[in-house]
Amino acid sequence: MENYDKKSYYNAKKRVKEVKIFYRSLISYIIINIFLFIINLIFSPGFWWFLFVVVIWGIFIVLQFLRIFVFKNKIFGEDWEDKKIKEYMDKDKKQ
């Protein structure tokens, strides 16, 4: 770890935490929806209400996946933040 600067270490640690949170969310999504399916099957098999939970929660899981693995914080990520901070600091310096 001595060969890495603090910013790289912080970014890597933050990324690992995000990935860990995603996998926990995915596991919760799968387990809870299995239970909801069973409950739905037992108590009201004529109306598949658990699908509402599957779809709505699934949309959020997909969005979380896209943010973490596809876009990798490109939208409003650290580069954007650094650029905006520099922009505001330059603006304050001119005033």
Side-chain angles (χ1 to χ4, degrees), residues 14-89:
K14 181 179 172 187
R15 181 107 171 104
V16 166
K17 185 177 179 181
E18 288 175 342
V19 171
K20 187 176 174 182
I21 289 170
F22 170 75
Y23 284 123
R24 283 183 181 167
S25 297
L26 183 61
I27 290 168
S28 298
Y29 172 78
I30 292 168
I31 292 171
I32 291 172
N33 281 308
I34 288 171
F35 282 119
L36 290 177
F37 169 73
I38 293 168
I39 290 169
N40 191 172
L41 189 63
I42 293 170
F43 293 106
S44 57
F47 178 65
W48 296 106
W49 53 263
F50 86 99
L51 290 175
F52 294 109
V53 177
V54 170
V55 170
I56 293 169
W57 193 357
I59 290 169
F60 288 106
I61 293 289
V62 168
L63 291 174
Q64 187 178 17
F65 172 83
L66 291 173
R67 183 181 60 81
I68 293 172
F69 295 108
V70 176
F71 298 118
K72 297 178 187 169
N73 292 325
K74 290 180 184 174
I75 301 172
F76 299 119
E78 186 173 321
D79 293 338
W80 178 84
E81 287 177 10
D82 291 342
K83 183 180 170 184
K84 280 301 198 187
I85 289 169
K86 184 178 179 333
E87 179 183 314
Y88 289 131
M89 287 173 65

